[in-house]
Amino acid sequence: MVKASPIPVTVKIRAGWDDANKNAEEVAVALESAGVAGLTVHGRTRSQLYSGRADRRLIGDVKSKVGIPVFGNGDVDSPAEALDMLATTGVDGIAIGRGALGRPWIFQQIEAALRGDAIPAAPSASEVGFLVLELMEGVVTLYGESLGMRMMRRLASDFTRGVANGARFREGCVRVQTRADLVALVREFLRYEGAVPRRRSSPRGGPLPPPSPGAASRRDPNDQSTLTIAARRGSLWRGRARRPLSRS
């Protein structure tokens, strides 16, 4: 795959299959020998799924075994956790997954922490309402209102964990069918009274067709979209495809 790919190949692995079979170090060494350009290590085993804590000692051990960039992953859901991941593992960067769902401001907060600046406060309920509607307009632009609003049932819910009236907002989200439905929920429970963000024209010239089986293998070869976002010391690192992706 490394030889066939026109772009650098990176790999994400877990600690191993279970506690009796943690082989991340051996796998990392083999991947480096195969020519991969970077490695993300999630500190849980497959059998753990998302229970327990990610093993940062193991992530640090993997980092010490290879010379390619290593990104630590698992339980990074706050600036403090990001700083701890860097300090305890020595990794080159951080890969953030579930910690960013519905919380896009976490990247700004972590970037401030990496610079040693004051950490920006999380947005108010009203500001979260604006973000939800801004996301809604983008999703509807790409997928059309019918499919887009079904997607927004979960996406909008992610934004309201820990937000005042969030539970009642999420109850309403499961019944959302139109843009107007979600706007009404945002105004009632998140107290956003401003204008609905203007819809932008689709970069692809119209709503995307509904996803179908095998769609990933038919990805547009000219798609230059962002592949990776990971925090590094003092900055945010954004990996982009430098050349068109080849068809599989």
Side-chain angles (χ1 to χ4, degrees), residues 58-216:
L58 179 141
I59 295 173
D61 290 344
V62 171
K63 169 59 184 173
S64 69
K65 295 290 186 180
V66 296
I68 56 177
V70 174
F71 298 88
N73 177 236
D75 300 321
V76 180
D77 56 8
S78 69
E81 290 285 1
L83 294 178
D84 182 75
M85 174 70 82
L86 290 170
T88 59
T89 66
V91 291
D92 301 282
I94 304 167
I96 303 173
R98 292 179 301 151
L101 291 177
R103 299 170 61 214
W105 52 87
I106 192 174
F107 296 101
Q108 182 185 40
Q109 292 176 325
I110 290 175
E111 187 172 27
L114 292 171
R115 293 194 306 263
D117 295 341
I119 298 173
S124 66
S126 176
E127 290 168 331
V128 168
F130 172 84
L131 293 173
V132 168
L133 296 183
E134 184 177 49
L135 176 62
M136 175 190 75
E137 292 303 290
V139 170
V140 169
T141 296
L142 286 174
Y143 295 97
E145 185 166 20
S146 179
L147 175 59
M149 295 313 300
R150 292 200 300 273
M151 295 170 66
M152 284 302 301
R153 292 172 184 173
R154 181 187 64 79
L155 295 174
S157 295
D158 285 337
F159 275 80
T160 58
R161 308 293 177 184
V163 173
N165 295 316
R168 297 177 66 190
F169 177 83
R170 291 190 294 275
E171 290 175 5
C173 278
V174 300
R175 295 184 291 274
V176 162
Q177 296 187 43
T178 67
R179 292 170 63 250
D181 291 340
L182 186 55
V183 171
L185 283 176
V186 166
R187 298 212 186 281
E188 180 178 1
F189 295 114
L190 301 183
R191 301 290 189 260
Y192 175 69
E193 299 177 354
V196 176
R198 177 183 297 180
R199 290 184 64 181
R200 299 170 181 170
S201 59
S202 170
R204 299 172 187 265
L208 296 176
S212 58

